[in-house]
Amino acid sequence: MLPSWEPLWPYRAVLAVDARDFSALDSKGMQQVNADIPPLLAQALSASNVSAHWERRVFGQHTGDGYVAGMDPEVLPALVGCFPEALRHALARRRAENSAMAPLQLRVSIHVGPLPPSGLGVPMVHTHRLLDDEALRAVLNRATPEITNTVLIISHRVYEDVFESGCLNGHFLPAQFVRHLVKVKKFRQPAWVHIPGFDWGLADPDIFEPADAVDAVSKRPTASVPGTPARLPAPAPRTVNFSQHGDDNVQAYTYHGAGWWRE
């Protein structure tokens, strides 16, 4: 007798967003942000020409400081190639029209996988793990809110599906994403980070490091101080040089080359 089987749940592109510093708002501010996010998403998705798919979204729900919903996976090229910049402009318009309000910054994650109508499943969990990545939070913590209001992270699966499909036009490039290993609880998976309008070729590799760690490294002794290690020759491009300095054993690394991968 052949083993029994059940049909696979439909594949869904899962879009999740969170507002930075939501807990710092008062109750009225929280209600305002909670009410503003769905219309902002609708504006950005309309500008990305997928408003019809958004109207047919499944398991859409508020998460307090954000929103999550599923759509047909055929919208992934639009979500990756058009939506981040459209969301950036929608948030900028909100700031211009409400100058008395604090600028709203959003973290966005996109994943894809089989999910039931309830949305309860592993792909949903992974979408939120991506959203909870500390590196993603660090980007917005460092950013000037009036300049950088959106940061996007997509799963490796989404990255491969979109860029290997050839469904993106030539105005959007893989180089606009940087690869990053996400570590949240027991979750360990590579993902790709995109900041609309940002050129990763100009990035400091410490951009994902906490500010206090960067301060500690910047204050370490240099080779000009007696008793400190001599400066080593610069490694070849696209390499990382690890070093350890000082009585507190402060560890740091120096990157040589464009693009980076850190574990």
Side-chain angles (χ1 to χ4, degrees):
M1 182 177 179
L2 294 176
S4 61
W5 61 276
E6 294 182 5
L8 196 64
W9 290 316
Y11 272 64
R12 301 295 184 187
V14 187
L15 170 68
V17 301
D18 258 358
R20 176 179 177 265
D21 276 351
F22 185 80
S23 61
L25 300 171
D26 59 21
S27 296
K28 186 176 180 180
M30 290 181 179
Q31 293 169 20
Q32 184 66 57
V33 168
N34 186 273
D36 285 351
I37 287 178
L40 286 166
L41 295 178
Q43 292 173 32
L45 291 163
S46 177
S48 305
N49 295 317
V50 292
S51 56
H53 291 274
W54 180 245
E55 292 171 3
R56 298 195 302 269
R57 64 189 178 274
V58 293
F59 51 79
Q61 56 185 295
H62 287 277
T63 58
D65 55 355
Y67 195 85
V68 62
M71 289 182 283
D72 296 331
E74 65 190 75
V75 304
L76 281 174
L79 292 182
V80 171
C82 303
F83 172 70
E85 186 69 24
L87 182 60
R88 174 193 180 193
H89 286 296
L91 288 166
R93 285 194 299 271
R94 176 187 184 271
R95 179 178 63 83
E97 294 168 0
N98 301 275
S99 58
M101 298 171 59
L104 177 60
Q105 294 172 286
L106 293 179
R107 302 191 319 276
V108 183
S109 67
I110 299 172
H111 187 36
V112 64
L115 283 168
S118 66
L120 183 62
V122 173
M124 176 64 76
V125 173
H126 288 184
T127 303
H128 284 286
R129 292 290 182 264
L130 294 173
L131 198 63
D132 290 338
D133 179 47
E134 284 301 322
L136 208 64
R137 297 176 185 273
V139 168
L140 289 187
N141 288 341
R142 285 186 170 209
T144 303
E146 292 81 4
I147 299 174
T148 302
N149 56 37
T150 304
V151 61
L152 168 74
I153 189 167
I154 64 175
S155 67
H156 186 65
R157 181 175 188 172
V158 168
Y159 181 90
E160 287 187 326
D161 286 352
V162 168
F163 286 104
E164 291 180 4
S165 69
C167 292
L168 282 178
N169 61 38
H171 297 293
F172 201 79
L173 304 172
Q176 292 175 268
F177 285 79
V178 65
R179 194 177 184 185
H180 167 63
L181 184 66
V182 176
K183 301 178 181 179
V184 179
K185 298 183 178 179
K186 295 182 179 180
F187 181 84
R188 297 286 188 278
Q189 286 193 17
W192 296 81
V193 178
H194 170 61
I195 303 173
F198 186 77
D199 183 353
W200 285 105
L202 304 176
D204 179 345
D206 288 330
I207 193 171
F208 282 168
E209 292 297 321
D212 54 353
V214 173
D215 290 342
V217 172
S218 66
K219 294 176 182 177
R220 73 190 183 204
T222 64
S224 61
V225 180
T228 58
R231 185 180 299 273
L232 296 175
R238 294 185 179 274
T239 61
V240 180
N241 178 35
F242 287 87
S243 56
Q244 184 165 299
H245 301 276
D247 295 334
D248 294 328
N249 291 327
V250 175
Q251 293 183 339
Y253 64 84
T254 303
Y255 177 81
H256 301 262
W260 60 282
W261 163 246
R262 175 169 63 90
E263 293 192 13

